[in-house]
Amino acid sequence: MAETIFLKIIRKEIPAKIEFENEYVLAFHDINPQAPVHVLIIPKQEIPRVTDLEPGEHAKILAEMVSAANIIAKKFGIDESGFRLVMNCNADGGQEVYHLHMHLLGGRKMTWPPG
Ligand code: AMP
């Protein structure tokens, strides 16, 4: 599979507005925001899709992704008002970049059902 743009962001080869980083995850603002707060949280390890996750192997990474989402939500003051976490998987899920990522969306009232 061809290298993704997110790998280049992890290596700091292309710029991104980084919000949070630790040894497991990197979080940066989406280039095409769909809400006042739209941050992508990605693992530093190359995992293409949700379907590639193994509970035993990747539990720590998933926990770190959710933890990063909570830290960022708090930073933007949307932890109490609420937010949405989205992971698109494969074609019907609307996945465009095949490096695992979680969208943190907030700062406005979300609608349901999603498009
Ligand atoms: P998905 O459709 O779930 O694969 O989402 C991929 C997201 O990555 C989209 O919301 C894009 O706007 C975003 N994106 C693509 N390239 C970049 C980039 N260079 N920096 C920040 N966000 C990006």
Side-chain angles (χ1 to χ4, degrees), residues 6 9 28-32 40 88 94-97 101 103:
F6 289 178
I9 291 174
F28 51 93
H29 289 265
D30 197 294
I31 206 166
N32 183 22
L40 299 172
N88 297 325
Q95 185 171 7
E96 285 174 4
V97 179
H101 53 279
H103 296 255

Side-chain angles (χ1 to χ4, degrees), residues 21-36:
E21 179 169 16
N22 68 16
E23 71 175 289
Y24 298 99
V25 301
L26 181 70
F28 51 93
H29 289 265
D30 197 294
I31 206 166
N32 183 22
Q34 302 301 312

